Amino acid sequence: MIKQPVFSWQAQDGEAICVINDGKKTFYGAASCHPADEDMKSEKTGCEIALRRAKIKYYRYYRDSLKERLAALKQFYYTINRSKQFNEKSYENIMLQRQIRMIELDLATAREMIAGEEQELRLYITEKDKFYNQIRKQRERRQKANIEQE
């Protein structure tokens, strides 16, 4: 399970880094301010994007480890299935089949988590851009109004 994330924010560069750890491996996510958004640099936005990227890396690592485990179990099943003493109704076979199904379900869930996190990241960036554009329009209107008053 993922431990509490650690964030680093470099205000002058507009760069955020997020580090998450699952107890075995460390995953990094990074975000840097787009040159067009220099006027809107935000620690919260940078850290949020970095966190999502780190989570995607974690989910991909988890997915890949499940693929390896599943391949090993399927290879094991293939090997014992070829034996003359293979008993399809044996406890061992039933438990092996159950483990294969459980890993396949976990793998499907991991794939959904990756897709969901990637979609959420895209949506977050799109909504952020819309919000920034609204703020810029408001600033332009205020500047025009101030110029007209002078």
Side-chain angles (χ1 to χ4, degrees):
M1 194 62 167
I2 298 175
K3 296 180 181 178
Q4 194 69 9
V6 177
F7 296 98
S8 172
W9 168 249
Q10 301 296 322
Q12 65 276 11
D13 300 328
E15 293 181 357
I17 296 173
C18 175
V19 179
I20 56 176
N21 191 315
D22 70 347
K24 297 177 185 175
K25 190 166 167 86
T26 303
F27 304 90
Y28 297 91
S32 59
C33 185
H34 190 276
D37 294 337
E38 282 291 323
D39 60 330
M40 301 281 186
K41 269 190 231 177
S42 167
E43 179 179 0
K44 182 177 187 256
T45 300
C47 289
E48 179 68 25
I49 292 170
L51 174 63
R52 290 182 184 273
R53 288 179 176 161
K55 282 184 176 181
I56 290 169
K57 287 180 182 178
Y58 168 73
Y59 294 141
R60 286 180 178 161
Y61 170 78
Y62 181 66
R63 175 201 61 197
D64 293 344
S65 68
L66 287 174
K67 283 181 179 180
E68 290 173 9
R69 288 174 51 200
L70 183 61
L73 286 177
K74 285 186 173 184
Q75 178 61 41
F76 179 62
Y77 176 74
Y78 175 81
T79 302
I80 64 170
N81 190 15
R82 301 297 176 249
S83 170
K84 292 178 183 176
Q85 289 87 20
F86 178 72
N87 178 3
E88 195 169 311
K89 295 181 181 182
S90 70
Y91 173 78
E92 292 80 8
N93 180 52
I94 292 170
M95 294 310 293
L96 179 59
Q97 292 298 319
R98 181 177 292 164
Q99 284 296 313
I100 289 172
R101 282 193 306 275
M102 288 175 57
I103 292 176
E104 287 173 339
L105 290 173
D106 288 347
L107 187 57
T109 301
R111 287 179 177 139
E112 289 174 11
M113 297 287 287
I114 292 167
E117 200 65 45
E118 288 173 340
Q119 182 178 358
E120 286 292 321
L121 178 59
R122 283 190 298 272
L123 180 64
Y124 184 85
I125 291 172
T126 301
E127 292 298 317
K128 172 200 65 82
D129 289 341
K130 286 180 187 176
F131 179 68
Y132 284 1
N133 288 333
Q134 288 175 345
I135 291 174
R136 287 183 183 112
K137 287 178 185 176
Q138 289 292 328
R139 287 178 179 171
E140 288 176 19
R141 288 183 194 145
R142 285 187 200 145
Q143 286 177 346
K144 286 180 184 178
N146 289 340
I147 291 172
E148 289 174 1
Q149 288 179 353
E150 293 177 359

